Amino acid sequence: MDTGELLLMLAFTLPISILPGPNNLLSAAHSSNYGFKKTLPLISGMVIGWFLLGLTVGIAALFIEENKNLLDLLTYVGILYIIYLSYRISTAPLVENEGEDDKKMGIYTGITLQVVNGKAFLHLLILMTTFGTVFGSGFIGKMLIALVNVIIKLVGWFVWGSFGSGLRQIFSDSKSGILINRIMGLSLFGVAIWIARSMLT
């Protein structure tokens, strides 16, 4: 293991894991609606999806790098999916009864968001091509990179989920609860616009 390269990889991953991206904002928004405990299945899906995506990108890094059209297509699909999620959040009524969780998002939503997240592909592609030998070459090395990366991402998802849960407790009346939904939904929509703008520049 190259310690210097590992530190550089962590320096690359940590800031991105804390910034308000689609996964972080969705964790906060869902947790503000349903509480942190009921957001854990969604976060579990994110973990599974991100880890599998990391392995896939690690194995197929050269193919994906040489096929920009595939990456662009996945990014545009991801933008549409994020807009859909932002709509669901911003129009969701306040959940006052803990049993009213028919519309809560679970494992499959978390996995799907990773599959259609073109920026996640790009992040992992940079990770695998720039720091791909930090744990040695071969499949095991790529698997360890994906594992370390998803653990760091998990910290960010937990932090944002806890933030959303805190908002739920502070703003417990119906008007402020609905306002939080609108703000979180618009924030997620803003992320979609930011991704789309970065695609056009």
Side-chain angles (χ1 to χ4, degrees):
M1 183 180 70
D2 188 327
T3 305
E5 194 174 356
L6 176 61
L7 291 174
L8 287 173
M9 185 183 79
L10 295 176
F12 168 73
T13 304
L14 279 169
I16 296 174
S17 301
I18 301 300
L19 291 173
N23 288 312
N24 287 343
L25 285 173
L26 187 58
S27 296
H30 193 275
S31 189
S32 70
N33 259 331
Y34 301 100
F36 184 74
K37 186 177 180 181
K38 290 187 177 180
T39 304
L40 290 178
L42 175 65
I43 293 176
S44 298
M46 292 175 180
V47 169
I48 294 168
W50 192 275
F51 182 69
L52 293 177
L53 183 63
L55 288 181
T56 303
V57 173
I59 294 168
L62 292 176
F63 173 79
I64 295 171
E65 192 174 28
E66 292 172 0
N67 287 268
K68 187 177 182 298
N69 289 337
L70 173 62
L71 184 61
D72 289 346
L73 175 62
L74 287 168
T75 300
Y76 286 123
V77 172
I79 289 168
L80 293 175
Y81 189 64
I82 292 167
I83 290 173
Y84 163 72
L85 292 176
S86 73
Y87 170 77
R88 279 191 60 181
I89 291 166
S90 61
T91 58
L94 182 67
V95 179
E96 297 177 351
N97 186 340
E98 290 293 332
E100 295 175 5
D101 58 358
D102 292 341
K103 294 185 178 180
K104 69 182 177 66
M105 301 173 193
I107 291 177
Y108 295 117
T109 302
I111 294 173
T112 303
L113 183 58
Q114 312 321 305
V115 173
V116 298
N117 188 348
K119 287 296 179 182
F121 268 93
L122 186 58
H123 169 85
L124 287 164
L125 183 61
I126 292 170
L127 190 73
M128 292 296 179
T129 54
T130 306
F131 307 103
T133 59
V134 66
F135 294 113
S137 58
F139 177 77
I140 299 298
K142 297 294 188 293
M143 185 178 69
L144 288 173
I145 291 174
L147 183 61
V148 169
N149 189 249
V150 80
I151 289 171
I152 295 171
K153 299 294 289 184
L154 181 60
V155 172
W157 300 332
F158 272 177
V159 168
W160 280 84
S162 299
F163 171 70
S165 182
L167 288 178
R168 172 187 171 91
Q169 293 174 12
I170 295 170
F171 302 100
S172 56
D173 63 282
S174 59
K175 287 185 178 179
S176 59
I178 290 173
L179 178 62
I180 290 172
N181 284 357
R182 304 292 187 267
I183 292 171
M184 290 293 183
L186 286 173
S187 298
L188 199 57
F189 181 76
V191 169
I193 297 301
W194 175 76
I195 294 172
R197 286 188 63 185
S198 68
M199 290 287 295
L200 298 174
T201 56

